Amino acid sequence: MKYVDEFREPEKASKLFAQIETLAAEVSGKLGRPVQLMEFCGGHTHAIFRFGIEQMLSKNIELIHGPGCPVCVLPRSRVDDCVALAERDDVIFTTFGDAMRVPGSKKSLLQAKADGAQVKMVYSPLDALALAKQNPDKEVIFFALGFETTMPSTALTLLQAESDGVKNFSLFCNHITTVPILQSLLDAPQFSIDGFVAPGHVSMVVGEEPFDYIANRYQKPLVITGFEPLDILQSIIMLLLQLKEGRAQMQNQYARVVLKQGNHPGLSAMAKVFELRDKFEWRGLGSIDQSGVKIRDEYARYDAERKFPVASIKVEDPINCQCGEVLKGMIKPWQCKVFGTLCTPEQPLGALMVSSEGACAAYYRFGNVEELLVQKENYLAKGK
Ligand code: SF4
């Protein structure tokens, strides 16, 4: 298959692993500890586990899983707001499947549906708009979430609703931005990541420039990367070479898809419809300045938050939940006190266990859970 098989060839992968081994030994020798690289995007986390990349890497290199899964970083208060909107008699609440099971403080959207709320799963915002046209007596709300990757399709759907004169359609906007969260991680004390595997899908929209800025400002190497195994291995080599040579640059490994200037029509639709919020709350990470967007005043009639004011009451995460520490790269998923015991994909306590892109779900699904539980007990027994 063009553009898939050639990025999965085992022989090429073996050669790249060997190259990583040599470079990682050299760089970690210089650092006096394993090299730490963070993949920001949940899609990369999923690929790393699906193709067994983490298990194949030597002890000289550690992959840290960052906060790039939008479902995982959605705070409980926003899930509560979704449930409150969905439970209105006059509303059909539409959402992507991943978001249905994210726990709120009392229930998830799936539980709200079981209790009688009109919650419908859709594959795109356009599906939600079509539902609004079919149900003129109901308000159809689309749960808009995701980084810059999904913002253009939400923005274009809103513009479509306007041009079609649809009045019973609105967005519950939870879109978030990549650069402010990266900056907040990099500004945090004790953040010790050496380089970033930068998000390929977000970069398709925003282009290279925002990551160029991050590399320059924080002097950290950063490589925009695709989602096939050879993409990821090659990007690790590019990062290690930069570290070996003392460089800190943005490089684009995914140039077959990501253009330097990004996607102009997508960016202009986003700029037309959205503006930055002063602050946005992230699960486990707190409130981060300008890290989310809201709908501009010109389109207030499509803003579910203004049509149906929501409570947005801040709710703390459950006491044993360590999602925030995992999202900041401070602990591995299996080091969370409740991993695999009180928190499983069937009974998730935190969102990282729900989403297919969540780090905890990836460890649970692709790792050896029994072995990880033993590792966890040993780790906790040391008083961590
Ligand atoms: S195991 Fe559950 S509670 Fe712990 S970090 Fe993962 S998702 Fe959060």
Side-chain angles (χ1 to χ4, degrees), residues 99-119:
M100 300 266 280
R101 294 177 58 241
V102 180
S105 66
K106 294 186 190 73
K107 54 174 104 164
S108 65
L109 279 167
L110 196 62
Q111 288 159 332
K113 184 179 166 80
D115 292 344
Q118 284 230 56
V119 180

Side-chain angles (χ1 to χ4, degrees), residues 102-244:
V102 180
S105 66
K106 294 186 190 73
K107 54 174 104 164
S108 65
L109 279 167
L110 196 62
Q111 288 159 332
K113 184 179 166 80
D115 292 344
Q118 284 230 56
V119 180
K120 287 200 189 302
M121 197 185 95
V122 289
Y123 293 101
S124 78
L126 280 173
D127 289 350
L129 180 58
L131 211 56
K133 291 175 183 172
Q134 290 156 15
N135 294 273
D137 56 329
K138 294 275 187 191
E139 173 75 15
V140 174
I141 300 177
F142 175 66
F143 184 16
L145 81 166
F147 286 92
E148 289 88 341
T149 321
T150 49
M151 271 191 224
S153 65
T154 307
L156 289 165
T157 303
L158 185 152
L159 296 172
Q160 185 70 49
E162 187 191 40
S163 93
D164 293 352
V166 180
K167 297 212 166 36
N168 63 325
F169 175 72
S170 54
L171 307 169
F172 182 47
C173 182
N174 288 271
H175 281 300
I176 43 181
T177 53
T178 310
V179 168
I181 182 67
L182 261 176
Q183 283 185 284
S184 95
L185 288 176
L186 284 157
D187 287 334
Q190 298 167 340
F191 186 75
S192 61
I193 300 300
D194 300 302
F196 291 91
V197 174
H201 291 144
V202 165
S203 308
M204 278 162 59
V205 176
V206 303
E208 295 180 358
E209 192 268 328
F211 299 109
D212 218 2
Y213 158 76
I214 291 283
N216 288 333
R217 175 167 172 189
Y218 291 93
Q219 285 300 296
K220 296 276 183 192
L222 203 141
V223 176
I224 296 170
T225 308
F227 295 86
E228 294 300 328
L230 298 194
D231 287 323
I232 294 171
L233 295 176
Q234 193 188 7
S235 71
I236 292 173
I237 291 173
M238 290 163 82
L239 287 166
L240 289 171
L241 277 171
Q242 286 203 45
L243 291 166
K244 179 185 156 184

